[in-house]
Amino acid sequence: MRVRKTFLPFALPDVDETEVAAVASVIRSGWLTSGPKVTQFEKEFAAAVGAAHAVAVNSCTAAMHLSLEAIGLREGDEVIVPTYTFAATAEVVRYFGARPVLADIDPVTRCVDPARVEAAISPRTRAIIPVHFAGLAAEMDDIRAVAARHGLKVIEDAAHAFPTKYKGRTVGSISDFTCFSFYATKTLTTGEGGMICTDKEEWSERCRMMSLHGISHNAWKRYTAEGSWFYEVVAPGYKYNLTDIAAAMGLAQLHKASRMRERRVQIAERYSAAFRGMPELEPPPEAPAGGQHAWHLYVLRLNLDRLTIDRARFFDEVKVRMIGASVHFIPLHLHPYYRDTYGYKPEDFPVAYREYQRAVSLPIYSRMTDDDVQDVIDAVREIAERYAGGKPEARNPKLESSSNSE
Ligand SMILES: Cc1ncc(COP(=O)(O)O)c(C=O)c1O
């Protein structure tokens, strides 16, 4: 067994002296919180994704919360969310006392299945939150058609999807709202951060106002004669604004976004070329023509009927070789809160349940060297070869007991 001398982290931000200098300059300027850097970041980010408006906030979770607030979500309403996602996508619906109605995913893209979305619609449904899993766009034309048929809003969870394209269009310019994440592991990071993109001025103004305590900017304009001390609270808002420190980092990251994506594409191509011929493994899909995969994650599928070990063991074998890995995602309906509150059973969403059991996320980030990439390939191939040869009929699809410890 080949083992790396040093541990290869699952994710590392691609930051260097450019970000350090940008942040230092903001600190030296004396203006630390939301100011000129945030304004510039919003402007450049909106241009990069082709949105009319961008509102910078301190997380994607905040971005989704504010988007739902802007459409006037209320207690008792329903919002359709894929079960195969991170906690944030559904919890923001609960903030309103509304119900996140879970839907199963497409077996190829692992994004929400538009047919399952339509089947989950009730008279109380107000919105759909598709997730662009791993950085590959969800089937947006179909989702928007479903939304249009039923008068629903679409809020894209684009936490993984910068820069992603769908049929020639950049994610950020497609739906009512698109919410990005700049969390530490994301393809563009500000440590913590997020962005709301929308084409509707009224929504962007509402999000902006609610991101800062519900303080009306119009009031500032209206009462300039009374001086800059005057403000009016017109709604009980939140404290979700991004700082200039973070925005300076975001701008530096934005300026090298293409280079970072190109490197992730190279890594994904090398992985897929190395795993494609192996019956134990199934590389993730690439973007179809006209699309662009952001490759935030490389989520390998294991063909469990060709292996003598399960995913939990495969994961451990990767780790033993000093390589960081992860699992995306433990479907929401398997988590105690959603399971117990709504009575979901593992088999209620069979595609998500199956995909979860065979998913292993491998490291994919622009700072990886060619040797790092080769180490991952060697490790995965070695594990697959060593444990090749399962007995399909003997396999038990029960939920793995050790998976929650990941
Ligand atoms: C699909 C998805 N949505 C939302 C989020 C939340 O992003 P943030 O941490 O910026 O709130 C994440 C974070 O990992 C995510 O994976």
Side-chain angles (χ1 to χ4, degrees):
M1 178 172 89
R2 284 188 51 195
V3 177
R4 268 176 67 98
K5 287 198 183 64
T6 55
F7 188 75
L8 179 69
F10 173 65
L12 274 181
D14 194 342
V15 284
D16 55 34
E17 289 308 311
T18 320
E19 283 83 355
V20 173
V23 167
S25 135
V26 168
I27 293 170
R28 288 198 185 96
S29 80
W31 188 278
L32 305 184
T33 187
S34 312
K37 289 292 172 194
V38 165
T39 307
Q40 192 188 342
F41 185 37
E42 288 175 341
K43 220 170 127 205
E44 291 194 25
F45 193 86
V49 300
H53 307 281
V55 179
V57 288
N58 57 16
S59 71
C60 180
T61 309
M64 293 191 287
H65 183 191
L66 293 176
S67 302
L68 291 171
E69 199 281 335
I71 66 162
L73 194 73
R74 294 207 190 297
E75 189 174 346
D77 287 346
E78 292 179 358
V79 177
I80 299 170
V81 171
T83 187
Y84 207 62
T85 187
F86 184 60
T89 323
E91 81 197 21
V92 291
V93 178
R94 292 297 301 132
Y95 292 177
F96 296 84
R99 176 175 177 172
V101 175
L102 303 181
D104 211 348
I105 51 166
D106 176 270
V108 177
T109 64
R110 291 174 281 193
C111 298
V112 76
D113 179 343
R116 305 266 46 98
V117 169
E118 191 150 35
I121 290 171
S122 86
R124 289 178 297 282
T125 311
R126 298 289 312 282
I128 307 165
I129 311 185
V131 175
H132 304 300
F133 179 77
L136 180 65
E139 202 40 78
M140 291 311 299
D141 280 352
D142 294 351
I143 291 167
R144 290 177 70 224
V146 170
R149 272 200 292 282
H150 299 272
L152 310 176
K153 300 287 185 289
V154 178
I155 297 165
E156 291 171 59
D157 178 340
H160 300 181
F162 179 80
T164 291
K165 286 193 179 148
Y166 171 79
K167 297 191 181 171
R169 282 169 289 161
T170 307
V171 165
S173 67
I174 300 172
S175 303
D176 297 310
F177 296 85
T178 311
C179 301
F180 294 92
S181 172
F182 308 137
Y183 177 68
T185 59
K186 296 298 191 281
T187 53
L188 184 163
T189 184
T190 60
E192 300 278 359
M195 193 74 82
I196 307 162
C197 291
T198 178
D199 281 349
K200 205 162 157 184
E201 192 172 357
E202 182 196 325
W203 281 336
S204 86
E205 286 191 353
R206 177 76 188 180
C207 289
R208 189 177 296 288
M209 185 183 80
M210 294 304 278
S211 75
L212 204 57
H213 305 295
I215 292 174
S216 166
H217 285 258
N218 291 334
W220 288 80
K221 284 181 214 144
R222 244 183 295 139
Y223 294 100
T224 42
E226 296 193 35
S228 58
W229 53 267
F230 192 83
Y231 63 90
E232 279 182 325
V233 174
V234 298
Y238 307 94
K239 183 68 168 78
Y240 282 162
N241 58 306
L242 193 73
T243 66
D244 259 22
I245 301 172
M249 191 170 163
L251 280 163
Q253 290 267 289
L254 190 57
H255 298 157
K256 59 189 193 192
S258 313
R259 197 223 355 109
M260 293 194 291
R261 194 194 85 88
E262 277 160 27
R263 178 63 183 151
R264 288 193 305 275
V265 170
Q266 284 172 359
I267 297 169
E269 282 173 357
R270 276 191 61 192
Y271 281 166
S272 291
F275 305 146
R276 202 167 282 125
M278 303 190 72
E280 302 81 17
L281 307 174
E282 190 181 321
E286 285 162 23
Q292 177 177 285
H293 200 315
W295 289 114
H296 163 52
L297 299 173
Y298 187 95
V299 188
L300 183 67
R301 290 165 154 122
L302 306 180
N303 288 330
L304 294 174
D305 57 349
R306 301 291 198 127
L307 288 160
T308 56
I309 54 173
D310 62 12
R311 190 274 313 281
R313 178 74 190 281
F314 198 100
F315 182 95
D316 291 344
E317 291 285 333
V318 174
K319 279 241 159 140
V320 161
R321 287 163 178 77
M322 297 283 276
I323 290 167
S326 191
V327 172
H328 296 86
F329 284 106
I330 304 169
L332 293 178
H333 73 282
L334 301 181
H335 288 283
Y337 175 73
Y338 292 98
R339 182 192 64 208
D340 299 344
T341 307
Y342 301 110
Y344 288 124
K345 298 190 181 51
E347 298 76 17
D348 285 349
F349 306 101
V351 183
Y353 183 41
R354 187 188 66 222
E355 291 304 323
Y356 156 64
Q357 288 172 300
R358 61 196 291 240
V360 178
S361 302
L362 301 178
I364 182 164
Y365 47 96
S366 42
R367 274 177 62 187
M368 285 175 77
T369 65
D370 286 347
D371 286 347
D372 293 336
V373 177
Q374 195 57 47
D375 287 343
V376 176
I377 290 172
D378 291 346
V380 169
R381 288 182 61 102
E382 187 186 80
I383 300 162
E385 278 161 9
R386 175 173 300 187
Y387 297 103
K391 294 188 197 71
E393 68 281 6
R395 297 207 67 79
N396 181 353
K398 284 257 153 34
L399 185 58
E400 295 159 25
S401 55
S402 59
S403 42
N404 282 343
S405 61
E406 293 159 8

